[in-house]
């Protein structure tokens, strides 16, 4: 977390490290929901917040941990640099909701910055207000300094709200946050001093010179985060390629569709999409291999989140965390397709077999969409 107030940047960084025995390092696994307020935020977003669900949720996921080593040193291999991806979360999510995707990308050699947006689209987020303890003079430089934790909760639409206007305003903030995140990563790579308000014990100096930003930066996002990917591509040419997971296109203003020049892959679920939404995606189709759309059979909107792997079986299908296909298969297809596209358009040699999904040569994938686009 950098910067004071909500205008700062907040992210979780996933990156390649040397091999660790993950089980023996379990004591260094970070919590998935960093603070109880995140669990409350999820429940508020779902409309399930009561004393019973809070107890159950805190019991079920309050101590859930991400199987990655916290603050491990980044992998150093003869001056090797790693390609960079910035991840944007969906409505009601936050920087840890897609930890499995981010870990998978990091295990394949990417540095992934999972942003937590401060536009009130996150389940919850927080920032610090810095001020002195003087009761008489706010400008007293000698007074002790304290940092107050302040929370931003998810904004629920009101009856009088225009949904497009609210979400478009949020999208503008989100796109700027993606560019600010790239600015931050650039400064880290150059060795500029960074103040981390969330954890001052973590040194960013180990990352100096390890980020390959000369080839540009990739973007990945889910739902509202996928719309953020499209908007950021249109507004910042430093972003070289985007992957939009089950995109929700409503927040995007019309003129943006004609400003995106970079390669873009849409990976859709079979259950979520509808005609008007897909037609908006197709405005970005220029007929080239650099603009693609695939749909994963048996998937639902939440198949791209960690919830799909946490809530399985009959319960998973009841709450629409899972579709009809094994959630491990769905996320594997999505991640391999994402990797293939990022490798190709960031100029990296990857696993060529992953490209098979873009060719439609597997039964898990539909080329294009399953949605009927012709009007009845």
């Amino acid at each position: 977390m950098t910067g004071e107030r909500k205008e700062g940047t907040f992210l979780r960084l996933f990156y390649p490290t040397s091999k660790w025995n993950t089980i023996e390092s379990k004591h260094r696994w970070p919590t998935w929901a960093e603070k109880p307020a995140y669990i409350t935020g999820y429940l508020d977003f779902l409309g399930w917040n009561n004393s019973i669900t809070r107890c159950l949720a805190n019991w079920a996921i309050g101590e859930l941990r991400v199987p990655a080593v916290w603050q491990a040193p980044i992998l150093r291999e003869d001056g090797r640099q790693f390609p960079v991806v910035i991840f944007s979360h969906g409505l009601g999510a936050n920087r840890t909701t897609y930890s499995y995707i981010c870990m998978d990308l990091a295990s394949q050699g990417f540095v992934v910055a999972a942003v937590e947006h401060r536009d009130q689209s996150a389940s919850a987020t927080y920032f610090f207000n810095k001020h002195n303890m003087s009761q008489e003079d706010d400008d007293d430089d000698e007074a002790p300094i304290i940092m107050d934790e302040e929370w931003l909760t998810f904004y629920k639409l009101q009856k009088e709200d225009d949904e497009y206007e609210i979400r478009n305003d949020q999208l503008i903030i989100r796109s700027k946050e993606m560019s600010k995140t790239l600015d931050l990563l650039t400064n880290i790579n150059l060795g500029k001093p960074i103040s981390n308000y969330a954890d001052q014990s973590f040194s960013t100096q180990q990352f100096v010179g390890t980020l390959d930003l000369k080839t540009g930066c990739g973007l990945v996002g889910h739902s509202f985060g996928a719309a953020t990917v499209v908007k950021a591509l249109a507004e910042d040419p430093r972003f070289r390629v985007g992957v939009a997971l089950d995109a929700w296109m409503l927040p995007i203003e019309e003129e943006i569709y004609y400003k995106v020049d970079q390669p873009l892959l849409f990976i859709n679920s079979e259950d979520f999409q509808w005609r008007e939404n897909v037609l908006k995606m197709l405005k970005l189709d220029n007929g080239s291999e650099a603009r693609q759309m695939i749909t994963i059979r048996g998937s639902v909107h939440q198949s791209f989140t960690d919830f799909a792997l946490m809530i399985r079986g009959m319960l998973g299908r009841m709450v629409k965390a899972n579709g009809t296909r094994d959630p491990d298969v769905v996320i594997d297809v999505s991640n391999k397709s994402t990797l293939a596209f990022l490798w190709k358009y960031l100029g990296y040699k990857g696993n060529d077999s992953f490209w098979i999904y873009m060719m439609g040569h597997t039964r898990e994938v539909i080329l294009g969409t399953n949605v009927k686009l012709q009007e009845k």
Side-chain angles (χ1 to χ4, degrees), residues 125-147:
T125 188
Y126 66 99
F127 57 93
F128 289 107
N129 275 326
K130 183 170 79 170
H131 60 86
N132 66 51
M133 295 180 65
S134 171
Q135 297 182 358
E136 299 178 357
D137 184 4
D138 289 339
D139 296 321
D140 184 354
D141 293 334
E142 296 183 1
I145 298 296
I146 61 172
M147 302 289 285

PDB file of all heavy atoms in Angstrom, residues 125-147:
ATOM      1  N   THR A 125     -12.353  -2.305   1.298  1.00  0.00           N
ATOM      2  CA  THR A 125     -10.934  -1.968   1.209  1.00  0.00           C
ATOM      3  C   THR A 125     -10.639  -0.890   2.239  1.00  0.00           C
ATOM      4  O   THR A 125     -11.563  -0.303   2.814  1.00  0.00           O
ATOM      5  CB  THR A 125     -10.539  -1.505  -0.205  1.00  0.00           C
ATOM      6  OG1 THR A 125      -9.107  -1.377  -0.281  1.00  0.00           O
ATOM      7  CG2 THR A 125     -11.190  -0.174  -0.562  1.00  0.00           C
ATOM      8  N   TYR A 126      -9.381  -0.635   2.484  1.00  0.00           N
ATOM      9  CA  TYR A 126      -9.033   0.372   3.485  1.00  0.00           C
ATOM     10  C   TYR A 126      -7.811   1.158   3.046  1.00  0.00           C
ATOM     11  O   TYR A 126      -7.091   0.778   2.116  1.00  0.00           O
ATOM     12  CB  TYR A 126      -8.802  -0.267   4.855  1.00  0.00           C
ATOM     13  CG  TYR A 126      -7.595  -1.188   4.950  1.00  0.00           C
ATOM     14  CD1 TYR A 126      -6.391  -0.736   5.485  1.00  0.00           C
ATOM     15  CD2 TYR A 126      -7.660  -2.513   4.522  1.00  0.00           C
ATOM     16  CE1 TYR A 126      -5.281  -1.568   5.586  1.00  0.00           C
ATOM     17  CE2 TYR A 126      -6.569  -3.347   4.621  1.00  0.00           C
ATOM     18  CZ  TYR A 126      -5.385  -2.880   5.147  1.00  0.00           C
ATOM     19  OH  TYR A 126      -4.282  -3.714   5.232  1.00  0.00           O
ATOM     20  N   PHE A 127      -7.583   2.256   3.726  1.00  0.00           N
ATOM     21  CA  PHE A 127      -6.403   3.087   3.490  1.00  0.00           C
ATOM     22  C   PHE A 127      -6.057   3.750   4.810  1.00  0.00           C
ATOM     23  O   PHE A 127      -6.760   3.583   5.822  1.00  0.00           O
ATOM     24  CB  PHE A 127      -6.662   4.127   2.388  1.00  0.00           C
ATOM     25  CG  PHE A 127      -7.823   5.042   2.653  1.00  0.00           C
ATOM     26  CD1 PHE A 127      -7.642   6.270   3.275  1.00  0.00           C
ATOM     27  CD2 PHE A 127      -9.113   4.666   2.280  1.00  0.00           C
ATOM     28  CE1 PHE A 127      -8.713   7.111   3.520  1.00  0.00           C
ATOM     29  CE2 PHE A 127     -10.198   5.501   2.519  1.00  0.00           C
ATOM     30  CZ  PHE A 127      -9.995   6.721   3.141  1.00  0.00           C
ATOM     31  N   PHE A 128      -4.963   4.464   4.819  1.00  0.00           N
ATOM     32  CA  PHE A 128      -4.521   5.129   6.052  1.00  0.00           C
ATOM     33  C   PHE A 128      -4.562   6.637   5.895  1.00  0.00           C
ATOM     34  O   PHE A 128      -4.142   7.186   4.873  1.00  0.00           O
ATOM     35  CB  PHE A 128      -3.099   4.700   6.423  1.00  0.00           C
ATOM     36  CG  PHE A 128      -3.009   3.280   6.899  1.00  0.00           C
ATOM     37  CD1 PHE A 128      -2.441   2.307   6.097  1.00  0.00           C
ATOM     38  CD2 PHE A 128      -3.493   2.919   8.147  1.00  0.00           C
ATOM     39  CE1 PHE A 128      -2.349   0.991   6.526  1.00  0.00           C
ATOM     40  CE2 PHE A 128      -3.413   1.610   8.590  1.00  0.00           C
ATOM     41  CZ  PHE A 128      -2.842   0.641   7.775  1.00  0.00           C
ATOM     42  N   ASN A 129      -5.080   7.293   6.918  1.00  0.00           N
ATOM     43  CA  ASN A 129      -4.999   8.741   7.028  1.00  0.00           C
ATOM     44  C   ASN A 129      -3.907   9.074   8.037  1.00  0.00           C
ATOM     45  O   ASN A 129      -3.942   8.602   9.189  1.00  0.00           O
ATOM     46  CB  ASN A 129      -6.330   9.328   7.511  1.00  0.00           C
ATOM     47  CG  ASN A 129      -7.293   9.554   6.366  1.00  0.00           C
ATOM     48  OD1 ASN A 129      -6.872   9.884   5.269  1.00  0.00           O
ATOM     49  ND2 ASN A 129      -8.581   9.384   6.618  1.00  0.00           N
ATOM     50  N   LYS A 130      -2.939   9.856   7.594  1.00  0.00           N
ATOM     51  CA  LYS A 130      -1.838  10.228   8.490  1.00  0.00           C
ATOM     52  C   LYS A 130      -2.098  11.620   9.061  1.00  0.00           C
ATOM     53  O   LYS A 130      -2.414  12.552   8.334  1.00  0.00           O
ATOM     54  CB  LYS A 130      -0.513  10.224   7.716  1.00  0.00           C
ATOM     55  CG  LYS A 130       0.696  10.539   8.586  1.00  0.00           C
ATOM     56  CD  LYS A 130       2.002  10.286   7.832  1.00  0.00           C
ATOM     57  CE  LYS A 130       2.320  11.401   6.886  1.00  0.00           C
ATOM     58  NZ  LYS A 130       3.703  11.272   6.329  1.00  0.00           N
ATOM     59  N   HIS A 131      -1.999  11.732  10.380  1.00  0.00           N
ATOM     60  CA  HIS A 131      -2.112  13.054  10.990  1.00  0.00           C
ATOM     61  C   HIS A 131      -1.378  13.047  12.329  1.00  0.00           C
ATOM     62  O   HIS A 131      -1.054  11.988  12.883  1.00  0.00           O
ATOM     63  CB  HIS A 131      -3.577  13.469  11.160  1.00  0.00           C
ATOM     64  CG  HIS A 131      -4.374  12.540  12.035  1.00  0.00           C
ATOM     65  ND1 HIS A 131      -4.432  12.653  13.396  1.00  0.00           N
ATOM     66  CD2 HIS A 131      -5.158  11.471  11.717  1.00  0.00           C
ATOM     67  CE1 HIS A 131      -5.202  11.701  13.889  1.00  0.00           C
ATOM     68  NE2 HIS A 131      -5.666  10.972  12.894  1.00  0.00           N
ATOM     69  N   ASN A 132      -1.092  14.235  12.846  1.00  0.00           N
ATOM     70  CA  ASN A 132      -0.392  14.300  14.126  1.00  0.00           C
ATOM     71  C   ASN A 132      -1.381  14.299  15.285  1.00  0.00           C
ATOM     72  O   ASN A 132      -2.580  14.466  15.092  1.00  0.00           O
ATOM     73  CB  ASN A 132       0.555  15.507  14.191  1.00  0.00           C
ATOM     74  CG  ASN A 132      -0.191  16.833  14.170  1.00  0.00           C
ATOM     75  OD1 ASN A 132      -1.113  17.042  14.937  1.00  0.00           O
ATOM     76  ND2 ASN A 132       0.218  17.742  13.282  1.00  0.00           N
ATOM     77  N   MET A 133      -0.872  14.081  16.467  1.00  0.00           N
ATOM     78  CA  MET A 133      -1.731  13.946  17.648  1.00  0.00           C
ATOM     79  C   MET A 133      -1.941  15.256  18.382  1.00  0.00           C
ATOM     80  O   MET A 133      -2.518  15.284  19.459  1.00  0.00           O
ATOM     81  CB  MET A 133      -1.132  12.904  18.608  1.00  0.00           C
ATOM     82  CG  MET A 133      -1.118  11.505  18.027  1.00  0.00           C
ATOM     83  SD  MET A 133      -0.420  10.281  19.167  1.00  0.00           S
ATOM     84  CE  MET A 133      -1.625  10.320  20.504  1.00  0.00           C
ATOM     85  N   SER A 134      -1.473  16.341  17.796  1.00  0.00           N
ATOM     86  CA  SER A 134      -1.669  17.637  18.431  1.00  0.00           C
ATOM     87  C   SER A 134      -3.146  18.013  18.414  1.00  0.00           C
ATOM     88  O   SER A 134      -3.804  17.927  17.386  1.00  0.00           O
ATOM     89  CB  SER A 134      -0.853  18.717  17.702  1.00  0.00           C
ATOM     90  OG  SER A 134      -1.193  19.995  18.192  1.00  0.00           O
ATOM     91  N   GLN A 135      -3.667  18.403  19.532  1.00  0.00           N
ATOM     92  CA  GLN A 135      -5.071  18.809  19.613  1.00  0.00           C
ATOM     93  C   GLN A 135      -5.250  20.277  19.243  1.00  0.00           C
ATOM     94  O   GLN A 135      -6.369  20.760  19.130  1.00  0.00           O
ATOM     95  CB  GLN A 135      -5.609  18.554  21.017  1.00  0.00           C
ATOM     96  CG  GLN A 135      -5.617  17.091  21.401  1.00  0.00           C
ATOM     97  CD  GLN A 135      -6.211  16.873  22.782  1.00  0.00           C
ATOM     98  OE1 GLN A 135      -6.584  17.810  23.461  1.00  0.00           O
ATOM     99  NE2 GLN A 135      -6.298  15.613  23.182  1.00  0.00           N
ATOM    100  N   GLU A 136      -4.127  20.990  19.069  1.00  0.00           N
ATOM    101  CA  GLU A 136      -4.219  22.418  18.817  1.00  0.00           C
ATOM    102  C   GLU A 136      -3.761  22.818  17.422  1.00  0.00           C
ATOM    103  O   GLU A 136      -4.306  23.742  16.825  1.00  0.00           O
ATOM    104  CB  GLU A 136      -3.384  23.187  19.864  1.00  0.00           C
ATOM    105  CG  GLU A 136      -3.875  22.961  21.289  1.00  0.00           C
ATOM    106  CD  GLU A 136      -3.014  23.684  22.298  1.00  0.00           C
ATOM    107  OE1 GLU A 136      -2.007  24.305  21.881  1.00  0.00           O
ATOM    108  OE2 GLU A 136      -3.340  23.633  23.495  1.00  0.00           O
ATOM    109  N   ASP A 137      -2.758  22.119  16.887  1.00  0.00           N
ATOM    110  CA  ASP A 137      -2.165  22.554  15.623  1.00  0.00           C
ATOM    111  C   ASP A 137      -1.902  21.351  14.732  1.00  0.00           C
ATOM    112  O   ASP A 137      -1.004  20.551  14.989  1.00  0.00           O
ATOM    113  CB  ASP A 137      -0.856  23.308  15.904  1.00  0.00           C
ATOM    114  CG  ASP A 137      -0.241  23.863  14.624  1.00  0.00           C
ATOM    115  OD1 ASP A 137      -0.871  23.727  13.558  1.00  0.00           O
ATOM    116  OD2 ASP A 137       0.866  24.435  14.702  1.00  0.00           O
ATOM    117  N   ASP A 138      -2.666  21.225  13.635  1.00  0.00           N
ATOM    118  CA  ASP A 138      -2.489  20.118  12.704  1.00  0.00           C
ATOM    119  C   ASP A 138      -1.152  20.189  11.980  1.00  0.00           C
ATOM    120  O   ASP A 138      -0.689  19.201  11.415  1.00  0.00           O
ATOM    121  CB  ASP A 138      -3.623  20.089  11.666  1.00  0.00           C
ATOM    122  CG  ASP A 138      -4.932  19.650  12.288  1.00  0.00           C
ATOM    123  OD1 ASP A 138      -4.889  19.006  13.345  1.00  0.00           O
ATOM    124  OD2 ASP A 138      -5.991  19.964  11.702  1.00  0.00           O
ATOM    125  N   ASP A 139      -0.534  21.375  11.969  1.00  0.00           N
ATOM    126  CA  ASP A 139       0.748  21.546  11.270  1.00  0.00           C
ATOM    127  C   ASP A 139       1.943  21.448  12.215  1.00  0.00           C
ATOM    128  O   ASP A 139       3.072  21.778  11.825  1.00  0.00           O
ATOM    129  CB  ASP A 139       0.775  22.906  10.554  1.00  0.00           C
ATOM    130  CG  ASP A 139      -0.294  22.991   9.460  1.00  0.00           C
ATOM    131  OD1 ASP A 139      -0.498  21.964   8.772  1.00  0.00           O
ATOM    132  OD2 ASP A 139      -0.898  24.073   9.296  1.00  0.00           O
ATOM    133  N   ASP A 140       1.713  21.008  13.428  1.00  0.00           N
ATOM    134  CA  ASP A 140       2.795  20.872  14.401  1.00  0.00           C
ATOM    135  C   ASP A 140       3.698  19.698  13.997  1.00  0.00           C
ATOM    136  O   ASP A 140       3.342  18.532  14.146  1.00  0.00           O
ATOM    137  CB  ASP A 140       2.198  20.628  15.793  1.00  0.00           C
ATOM    138  CG  ASP A 140       3.275  20.577  16.876  1.00  0.00           C
ATOM    139  OD1 ASP A 140       4.466  20.610  16.520  1.00  0.00           O
ATOM    140  OD2 ASP A 140       2.909  20.492  18.058  1.00  0.00           O
ATOM    141  N   ASP A 141       4.879  20.003  13.472  1.00  0.00           N
ATOM    142  CA  ASP A 141       5.787  18.967  12.965  1.00  0.00           C
ATOM    143  C   ASP A 141       6.394  18.120  14.074  1.00  0.00           C
ATOM    144  O   ASP A 141       6.923  17.038  13.810  1.00  0.00           O
ATOM    145  CB  ASP A 141       6.920  19.607  12.153  1.00  0.00           C
ATOM    146  CG  ASP A 141       6.402  20.247  10.874  1.00  0.00           C
ATOM    147  OD1 ASP A 141       5.347  19.786  10.385  1.00  0.00           O
ATOM    148  OD2 ASP A 141       7.041  21.196  10.377  1.00  0.00           O
ATOM    149  N   GLU A 142       6.350  18.610  15.297  1.00  0.00           N
ATOM    150  CA  GLU A 142       6.968  17.869  16.393  1.00  0.00           C
ATOM    151  C   GLU A 142       5.986  16.951  17.101  1.00  0.00           C
ATOM    152  O   GLU A 142       6.380  16.128  17.923  1.00  0.00           O
ATOM    153  CB  GLU A 142       7.578  18.860  17.394  1.00  0.00           C
ATOM    154  CG  GLU A 142       8.711  19.692  16.794  1.00  0.00           C
ATOM    155  CD  GLU A 142       9.357  20.607  17.826  1.00  0.00           C
ATOM    156  OE1 GLU A 142       8.908  20.563  19.002  1.00  0.00           O
ATOM    157  OE2 GLU A 142      10.267  21.356  17.460  1.00  0.00           O
ATOM    158  N   ALA A 143       4.720  17.063  16.795  1.00  0.00           N
ATOM    159  CA  ALA A 143       3.708  16.204  17.431  1.00  0.00           C
ATOM    160  C   ALA A 143       3.821  14.780  16.885  1.00  0.00           C
ATOM    161  O   ALA A 143       4.185  14.577  15.720  1.00  0.00           O
ATOM    162  CB  ALA A 143       2.317  16.752  17.164  1.00  0.00           C
ATOM    163  N   PRO A 144       3.543  13.776  17.727  1.00  0.00           N
ATOM    164  CA  PRO A 144       3.603  12.380  17.268  1.00  0.00           C
ATOM    165  C   PRO A 144       2.643  12.142  16.102  1.00  0.00           C
ATOM    166  O   PRO A 144       1.541  12.689  16.069  1.00  0.00           O
ATOM    167  CB  PRO A 144       3.179  11.582  18.505  1.00  0.00           C
ATOM    168  CG  PRO A 144       3.406  12.499  19.663  1.00  0.00           C
ATOM    169  CD  PRO A 144       3.184  13.880  19.156  1.00  0.00           C
ATOM    170  N   ILE A 145       3.076  11.314  15.148  1.00  0.00           N
ATOM    171  CA  ILE A 145       2.267  10.992  13.967  1.00  0.00           C
ATOM    172  C   ILE A 145       1.556   9.660  14.181  1.00  0.00           C
ATOM    173  O   ILE A 145       2.149   8.693  14.659  1.00  0.00           O
ATOM    174  CB  ILE A 145       3.140  10.912  12.706  1.00  0.00           C
ATOM    175  CG1 ILE A 145       3.808  12.265  12.431  1.00  0.00           C
ATOM    176  CG2 ILE A 145       2.319  10.464  11.500  1.00  0.00           C
ATOM    177  CD1 ILE A 145       2.840  13.377  12.109  1.00  0.00           C
ATOM    178  N   ILE A 146       0.295   9.615  13.847  1.00  0.00           N
ATOM    179  CA  ILE A 146      -0.446   8.352  13.898  1.00  0.00           C
ATOM    180  C   ILE A 146      -1.097   8.103  12.533  1.00  0.00           C
ATOM    181  O   ILE A 146      -1.340   9.021  11.767  1.00  0.00           O
ATOM    182  CB  ILE A 146      -1.521   8.337  15.003  1.00  0.00           C
ATOM    183  CG1 ILE A 146      -2.557   9.439  14.776  1.00  0.00           C
ATOM    184  CG2 ILE A 146      -0.895   8.453  16.376  1.00  0.00           C
ATOM    185  CD1 ILE A 146      -3.740   9.354  15.711  1.00  0.00           C
ATOM    186  N   MET A 147      -1.358   6.820  12.257  1.00  0.00           N
ATOM    187  CA  MET A 147      -1.995   6.425  10.999  1.00  0.00           C
ATOM    188  C   MET A 147      -3.343   5.787  11.338  1.00  0.00           C
ATOM    189  O   MET A 147      -3.391   4.732  11.977  1.00  0.00           O
ATOM    190  CB  MET A 147      -1.119   5.436  10.248  1.00  0.00           C
ATOM    191  CG  MET A 147       0.280   5.948   9.913  1.00  0.00           C
ATOM    192  SD  MET A 147       0.257   7.220   8.635  1.00  0.00           S
ATOM    193  CE  MET A 147      -0.048   6.216   7.191  1.00  0.00           C
TER     194      MET A 147
END
